[in-house]
């Protein structure tokens, strides 16, 4: 099979396409023919091992796992002897934010890991584009305790996390102001934003409105810059640790001080989330946003594009014709 792999940490240039053996599933694993996956910010972070702390999980000097890819949609091709929860031919989706090797034509994954049957009515490309961003987005809403009728501002509402976060907030009954660029303002409205701010024309941190929650889905603001936007007991959440890793520390300190607080969005359980996501998709509360779909031959270009920060929604790798 063909697979995207790397021998060292770095940018897109370190990725190589290689011919490797199709993996054999262990007794508790399934073999999946990968039809689609995404190239995400998480994939770029794993590729570069940035921030450095990631190396304590992925390998200090060199990556322990040379395979790339964190989410997938595909079809079960073979089963380990102890697997009872899946059958050959099942259409499945899944993820592992530390890597599952999905930028390849086949992968193996434990049947007890974060893998489930896909909802009906989705293409493999749509299914893959649903997962990673929505997982982080849902984690943000759960950790922040988002409730109905809250006022929410989302910075970076056009990315994979942001576009999912916008839809989930609307589904939960929030009134959302979304920040994006000129070409995506109509997209934000179509996803449910009641108000939009064009960051190419104005600084959202100078907005005159106040919000119960400010969610930064791209990690480019700070709690200090957004305090004026928050109600006296408002909540700030960023998808990134922030300058000097301030957000995890503020998440510990601000609840003690009372008033406005920072929440650090530790992700929710992946396998349980796939059930939630399946319901959101089936009930049409969520649809993935796809920027472009490319083949495995263009994997380097896909990583470089995602790393540039210019994508809208998801970049999908199509692994089969």
């Amino acid at each position: 099979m063909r697979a995207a792999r790397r021998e060292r940490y770095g940018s897109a240039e370190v990725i190589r396409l290689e011919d490797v053996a199709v993996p054999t599933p262990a007794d508790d694993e399934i073999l999946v023919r990968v039809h689609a996956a995404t190239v995400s910010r998480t994939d770029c972070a794993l590729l570069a091992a940035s921030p450095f702390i990631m190396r304590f999980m992925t390998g200090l000097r060199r990556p322990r796992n040379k395979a790339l890819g964190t989410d997938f949609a595909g079809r079960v091709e073979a089963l380990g002897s102890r697997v009872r929860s899946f059958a050959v031919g099942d259409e499945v989706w899944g993820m592992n934010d530390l890597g599952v090797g999905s930028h390849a034509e086949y992968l193996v994954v434990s049947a007890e890991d974060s893998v489930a049957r896909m909802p009906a009515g989705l293409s493999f490309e749509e299914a893959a584009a649903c997962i990673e961003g929505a997982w982080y987005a849902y984690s943000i809403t759960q950790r922040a305790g988002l409730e109905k009728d809250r006022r929410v501002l989302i910075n970076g509402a056009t990315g994979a996390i942001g576009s999912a976060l916008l839809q989930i907030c609307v589904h939960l009954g929030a009134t959302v102001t979304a920040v994006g660029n000129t070409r995506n303002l109509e997209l934000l409205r179509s996803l449910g934003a009641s108000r939009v701010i064009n960051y190419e024309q104005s600084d959202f941190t100078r907005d005159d409105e106040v919000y119960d929650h400010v969610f930064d889905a791209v990690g480019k603001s700070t709690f200090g810059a957004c305090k004026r936007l928050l109600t006296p007991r408002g909540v700030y959440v960023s998808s990134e640790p922030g300058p000097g890793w301030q957000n995890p520390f503020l998440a510990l300190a601000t609840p003690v001080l009372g008033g406005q607080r920072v929440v650090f969005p530790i992700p929710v359980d992946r396998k349980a989330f796939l059930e939630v996501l399946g319901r959101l998709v089936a009930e049409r509360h969520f649809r993935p946003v796809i920027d472009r779909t490319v083949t495995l031959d263009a994997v380097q270009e896909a990583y470089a594009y995602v790393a540039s920060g210019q994508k809208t929604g998801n970049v999908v790798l199509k692994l089969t014709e």
Side-chain angles (χ1 to χ4, degrees):
M1 70 172 186
R2 293 202 308 159
R5 295 167 64 86
R6 44 75 185 275
E7 296 291 330
R8 57 188 174 88
Y9 296 122
S11 57
E13 288 73 20
V14 305
I15 301 172
R16 297 289 180 267
L17 286 180
E18 299 179 4
D19 289 320
V20 298
V22 175
T24 301
D27 290 347
D28 64 339
E29 292 179 331
I30 60 176
L31 174 68
V32 177
R33 176 68 162 103
V34 182
H35 285 249
T38 67
V39 177
S40 65
R41 283 167 53 193
T42 300
D43 292 311
C44 291
L46 289 170
L47 181 68
S50 178
F52 188 87
I53 196 172
M54 294 185 70
R55 293 178 181 237
F56 292 99
M57 296 176 285
T58 62
L60 196 58
R61 295 182 61 199
R62 289 181 177 274
R64 285 191 292 268
N65 185 2
K66 296 178 174 59
L68 297 168
T70 54
D71 57 27
F72 65 90
R75 185 173 282 113
V76 176
E77 294 286 320
L79 306 170
S81 60
R82 297 205 306 267
V83 175
R84 300 291 182 268
S85 51
F86 294 98
V88 172
D90 283 348
E91 295 182 349
V92 295
W93 61 358
M95 71 168 295
N96 187 323
D97 55 317
L98 289 178
V100 72
S102 57
H103 295 170
E105 293 173 329
Y106 292 87
L107 62 81
V108 291
V109 61
S110 169
E112 301 305 314
D113 203 345
S114 305
V115 57
R117 289 180 180 84
M118 282 170 40
L122 288 179
S123 69
F124 289 113
E125 292 82 8
E126 290 169 332
C130 284
I131 305 168
E132 190 255 5
W135 179 55
Y136 288 117
Y138 183 71
S139 298
I140 288 172
T141 63
Q142 295 304 293
R143 301 305 184 194
L146 181 64
E147 298 176 348
K148 187 178 180 180
D149 297 327
R150 298 302 189 198
R151 292 163 295 173
V152 175
L153 181 141
I154 301 173
N155 183 40
T158 59
I161 298 173
S163 60
L165 184 55
L166 170 52
Q167 294 177 77
I168 292 171
C169 287
V170 170
H171 169 60
L172 293 175
T175 300
V176 180
T177 294
V179 181
N181 55 8
T182 305
R183 68 187 175 92
N184 285 314
L185 297 184
E186 287 307 313
L187 169 65
L188 296 178
R189 293 187 181 99
S190 75
L191 295 177
S194 60
R195 180 168 170 256
V196 296
I197 296 175
N198 185 344
Y199 69 72
E200 295 177 334
Q201 297 179 358
S202 60
D203 179 357
F204 81 90
T205 65
R206 309 313 303 170
D207 190 29
D208 293 330
E209 302 292 327
V210 291
Y211 302 92
D212 301 295
H213 299 270
V214 172
F215 297 146
D216 185 353
V218 287
K220 293 184 177 180
S221 69
T222 63
F223 176 54
C226 294
K227 280 177 66 68
R228 63 178 302 276
L229 300 175
L230 290 167
T231 61
R233 301 190 66 82
V235 176
Y236 172 83
V237 185
S238 174
S239 62
E240 298 293 333
W245 279 71
Q246 63 178 262
N247 291 330
F249 292 107
L250 289 170
L252 295 173
T254 53
V256 177
L257 298 174
Q260 297 171 338
R261 60 191 175 95
V262 174
V263 170
F264 193 67
I266 298 170
V268 298
D269 178 77
R270 294 187 303 262
K271 192 172 183 67
F273 166 69
L274 288 176
E275 296 182 14
V276 173
L277 181 61
R279 291 195 297 271
L280 288 174
V281 171
E283 295 169 6
R284 303 195 178 195
H285 298 304
F286 176 78
R287 63 180 174 91
V289 175
I290 297 176
D291 182 305
R292 61 187 62 180
T293 300
V294 301
T295 65
L296 191 58
D297 290 319
V299 66
Q300 280 193 350
E301 292 86 346
Y303 269 83
Y305 179 56
V306 172
S308 75
Q310 300 303 306
K311 71 179 177 67
T312 298
N314 297 270
V315 173
V316 176
L317 279 182
K318 187 175 182 179
L319 278 300
T320 61
E321 294 300 327

